[in-house]
Amino acid sequence: MKNKLTECDLAIIGGGPGGSTTGTLLKKYAPDLRVLIIERERFPRDHIGESQLAPIGRILNEMGCWDKVESADFPIKIGATYRWGTSAEMWDFDFLPVDQFRDEPRPAPYAGQRKYTALQVDRAVYDDILLRHAAELGCDVRMETGVEKIPNEQDRVKRLELSDGSIVQAKWYVDASGHKGVLRRALGVPVECPTQLKNIAIWDYWQNLKWAEEIGVGATRVQVMSIPHGWIWFIPLGPTRTSIGLVCPAVYYKKCGLSTKELYDQSIRMDSRIADLIRGGSPRNKVESTTDWSFLADRTVGENWFLVGESAGFADPILAAGMTLAQTGAREAAYSLRALLMDPPPHDSAWIKSQYDNNQRSRIRQHIRFADFWYASNGQFCDLQDHCRDIAKSAGLDLTSEQAWAWLAQGGFTNDITSENAAIGGITLTAAKNITQQFTGEPLDWSINKFNVFRLNLEGAEEQQIPRYVDGNIEAIDCLRRGESRLIKTAMVNVMLQLLKNNQTTEQIAPKLGGILRRHFSPQNISEGFVTAVQTLEMMCREGWVDASLDESRPTLNFAPPKAGALIHPHQDATTVEKTAP
């Protein structure tokens, strides 16, 4: 096969979720394109990063492989149970209130409650399903084939030279090779480490462990337990297989004088909950480790290449965002590549690429900041609060360490367009505020409850267009940009912009908003629409698009999200939770 030449439209390095999602969606929407996926290993193979967030379900459904993944009978992830920092108390972060989860036969369609939950997947099985699905849609998949050389010139990849001696020439190239960043490194794209967190991860797989909780048919919570030198994950992957890992500072590992196996064995028995769960089970006895600190590439797109997933950047696994970031970015890469491969492209090529780059970098950076906030609440990482203050200063804000800590958790919600809600990577503003309250002990701080006069502040804002990725096509939608902040004109943002033009007090806004919601939402969904509207107004106030003030002669709101206590709360054993009526 030496010197055999393959020509294609797109060559993807890496067959994990990022690479297979890119290839699948490109073939779905442009079946005539020639797509090659090159994978160094033979699937199935183990891989950590097994815990998903809810947005992945929507992507799997669009890919056409939801039913295949659901048929694998992975545990349904309804949320996670945490013991964090120096507190002995446990608390739950749920995607769906446990009392609302209904038993239903599996495999189940992507509908109803399954749109709000996620999965805990055995990556050996999950990645194999996705890669085979890409092949079924027409991708040329080559496993056990490495990329040896990537000749390039002036930011343009010329070809790929493979381990079997063959050569690949493509119009576009995607690096979905994960941390290795095969193409990124060959091109010399710099990376930054915008955090002081430098952890390592050590893990093994166990057989025949009991789940911490069994919720209905096949549902459970991931367990995240803090210990003095880090934290432990406990993720059931199926009826008999469980992933258990330790994350701790690299500096601690170097100082402790223990081997990775010795440190792992010692650590997983330090927490009483984990120690009880592993009793009677058996480990694989093949402890593995990796460096695990966050980083971000200086750019994620070039003359004829894209970075997808962890080749573009990595956010600490405490948020379980790895696969969500990878598959969300892969989806946007597929849409962007389809447009760029059209003759002519439907939009300016530079705009398509710059928008992809902005989306990935801002999304990853915000997750890195959120992870910093999360660790700063742990007494073992107390120096991070000062690091949060330094980040705030770089953004022009003079805040105390504690104020900066909370700001990092709740900022950036105008920048993502993956949902109608004010959200970033599946975490809504309401959830971020609840987490802030959990860590700080302070009551939820909703600006809209403290003020009753709201005036638009669009001074210095520029009109721009950004992409919305829908049904294989890129739609240009309007947004306002001021500095690093952008206000995307989603349906609810447009509602608030129109309302605030002529109405400024809560007395004026509330009844008119109610009328709009009644026209556009069914009676059973009006409360959900109201929460979305209030989150949008809160986000606009927090990020400077609305100036809020108090007129003491007028009433104020008393907003409390109806799901606040149901989704993030002190730990409850799900088996004791009484179900509400359907």
Side-chain angles (χ1 to χ4, degrees):
M1 192 177 289
K2 186 172 178 62
N3 297 325
K4 179 182 177 182
L5 175 65
T6 297
E7 295 183 318
C8 57
D9 297 297
L10 174 65
I12 301 171
I13 305 172
S20 55
T21 299
T22 304
T24 292
L25 291 175
L26 198 55
K27 289 296 289 185
K28 173 181 177 177
Y29 295 119
D32 292 337
L33 291 177
R34 299 163 299 168
V35 179
L36 171 65
I37 301 177
I38 305 159
E39 169 54 47
R40 182 173 59 89
E41 298 186 48
R42 164 62 59 178
F43 282 20
R45 53 85 180 100
D46 282 328
H47 200 289
I48 55 168
E50 301 104 341
S51 190
Q52 298 183 344
L53 298 178
I56 286 184
R58 183 172 63 248
I59 298 172
L60 294 175
N61 193 54
E62 182 179 2
M63 291 167 65
C65 60
W66 166 267
D67 290 344
K68 295 177 182 177
V69 172
E70 173 66 3
S71 294
D73 201 28
F74 297 124
I76 299 170
K77 178 183 176 183
I78 198 170
T81 296
Y82 290 87
R83 182 186 288 123
W84 196 245
T86 56
S87 172
E89 301 300 317
M90 294 190 299
W91 55 280
D92 300 326
F93 182 176
D94 291 334
F95 303 147
L96 180 77
V98 173
D99 64 353
Q100 294 180 20
F101 185 79
R102 297 283 167 258
D103 291 349
E104 60 182 5
R106 296 188 69 190
Y110 181 68
Q113 65 185 12
R114 297 304 302 279
K115 291 186 175 182
Y116 301 97
T117 57
L119 292 169
Q120 296 160 205
V121 299
D122 185 329
R123 289 287 298 276
V125 179
Y126 180 77
D127 291 12
D128 190 52
I129 291 172
L130 265 57
L131 188 57
R132 291 184 184 280
H133 182 72
E136 289 175 13
L137 264 67
C139 292
D140 178 6
V141 175
R142 298 185 192 175
M143 287 190 276
E144 296 182 287
T145 305
V147 176
E148 297 291 331
K149 293 182 181 179
I150 306 180
N152 60 89
E153 186 176 5
Q154 295 182 337
D155 200 44
R156 176 173 288 275
V157 176
K158 298 169 70 174
R159 62 185 179 275
L160 305 180
E161 298 180 8
L162 307 185
S163 58
D164 61 7
S166 63
I167 294 172
V168 173
Q169 286 186 335
K171 295 176 182 176
W172 287 89
Y173 300 84
V174 164
D175 185 350
S177 62
H179 263 83
K180 298 179 182 66
V182 173
L183 187 147
R184 185 195 73 227
R185 293 175 187 271
L187 290 166
V189 177
V191 299
E192 59 174 316
C193 186
T195 175
Q196 291 181 353
L197 286 171
K198 292 187 182 295
N199 295 331
I200 65 166
I202 308 171
W203 70 93
D204 199 357
Y205 295 96
W206 290 65
Q207 291 291 329
N208 302 318
L209 302 186
K210 59 185 177 182
W211 290 6
E213 296 172 282
E214 294 189 33
I215 305 168
V217 177
T220 187
R221 293 189 183 106
V222 169
Q223 305 294 300
V224 174
M225 298 290 122
S226 182
I227 59 176
H229 54 267
W231 59 274
I232 300 166
W233 78 68
F234 181 97
I235 307 175
L237 305 179
T240 63
R241 197 169 196 236
T242 300
S243 172
I244 304 178
L246 164 71
V247 175
C248 75
V251 66
Y252 177 85
Y253 167 64
K254 292 176 182 177
K255 289 181 178 179
C256 74
L258 301 175
S259 69
T260 53
K261 186 178 188 314
E262 290 169 337
L263 179 58
Y264 177 83
D265 289 342
Q266 178 192 87
S267 299
I268 62 173
R269 289 169 174 80
M270 291 182 69
D271 180 83
S272 58
R273 187 172 177 83
I274 302 298
D276 179 62
L277 290 171
I278 64 175
R279 191 172 293 118
S282 56
R284 180 188 57 171
N285 281 324
K286 183 183 174 184
V287 173
E288 299 179 73
S289 65
T290 185
T291 57
D292 203 22
W293 50 79
S294 302
F295 70 92
L296 180 61
D298 278 8
R299 55 199 178 102
T300 61
V301 64
E303 284 296 310
N304 65 340
W305 54 268
F306 280 74
L307 305 183
V308 164
E310 289 183 13
S311 66
F314 174 75
D316 189 278
I318 188 63
L319 300 173
M323 270 193 289
T324 304
L325 290 172
Q327 292 191 249
T328 299
R331 177 179 182 269
E332 294 174 0
Y335 277 69
S336 301
L337 285 159
R338 184 196 177 205
L340 291 166
L341 284 161
M342 291 180 181
D343 188 16
H347 304 283
D348 178 70
S349 296
W351 178 80
I352 293 170
K353 294 195 289 184
S354 68
Q355 294 299 317
Y356 173 84
D357 183 68
N358 183 79
N359 281 348
Q360 309 323 307
R361 285 174 46 76
S362 62
R363 195 177 289 138
I364 295 168
R365 185 181 294 279
Q366 179 58 22
H367 272 276
I368 291 172
R369 288 177 171 181
F370 205 176
D372 277 359
F373 157 77
W374 203 291
Y375 277 95
S377 72
N378 187 324
Q380 307 304 317
F381 302 89
C382 55
D383 58 326
L384 285 175
Q385 289 196 22
D386 289 336
H387 173 61
C388 296
R389 181 188 60 195
D390 293 338
I391 293 174
K393 280 186 176 179
S394 70
L397 300 174
D398 186 12
L399 304 176
T400 67
S401 296
E402 291 77 11
Q403 289 169 336
W405 175 29
W407 167 75
L408 281 178
Q410 300 175 40
F413 288 87
T414 58
N415 282 298
D416 211 345
I417 195 171
T418 55
S419 70
E420 179 64 34
N421 263 316
I424 193 158
I427 300 172
T428 67
L429 181 56
T430 299
K433 285 178 174 291
N434 274 269
I435 294 167
T436 305
Q437 175 177 281
Q438 182 69 37
F439 285 162
T440 64
E442 298 294 328
L444 279 179
D445 176 20
W446 286 86
S447 298
I448 55 171
N449 288 336
K450 296 188 294 184
F451 305 111
N452 51 22
V453 180
F454 303 93
R455 294 183 175 86
L456 282 176
N457 178 6
L458 307 182
E459 184 178 353
E462 297 180 356
E463 291 275 359
Q464 292 186 354
Q465 287 192 315
I466 63 167
R468 186 198 296 271
Y469 306 96
V470 181
D471 297 330
N473 298 309
I474 297 178
E475 300 174 357
I477 65 171
D478 295 329
C479 87
L480 295 170
R481 183 157 201 145
R482 182 168 54 202
E484 292 187 2
S485 181
R486 65 182 188 181
L487 182 65
I488 300 170
K489 293 187 178 180
T490 60
M492 194 57 76
V493 167
N494 277 325
V495 165
M496 299 311 301
L497 287 173
Q498 290 301 315
L499 268 179
L500 294 173
K501 279 185 179 178
N502 301 309
N503 306 280
Q504 296 180 343
T505 69
T506 53
E507 295 165 294
Q508 296 170 325
I509 294 169
K512 294 193 175 181
L513 176 61
I516 292 170
L517 295 178
R518 283 190 292 273
R519 287 195 299 274
H520 295 283
F521 288 83
S522 62
Q524 60 268 34
N525 291 329
I526 284 181
S527 61
E528 183 177 339
F530 179 71
V531 171
T532 300
V534 170
Q535 285 191 141
T536 301
L537 179 58
E538 174 74 11
M539 170 269 294
M540 293 171 71
C541 292
R542 178 168 289 277
E543 301 193 16
W545 298 103
V546 171
D547 291 332
S549 60
L550 176 65
D551 180 345
E552 295 186 357
S553 67
R554 297 180 180 278
T556 57
L557 288 174
N558 185 24
F559 172 71
K563 292 182 180 179
L567 296 183
I568 299 177
H569 50 76
H571 173 64
Q572 293 176 292
D573 188 328
T575 59
T576 67
V577 175
E578 185 175 337
K579 299 286 186 178
T580 59

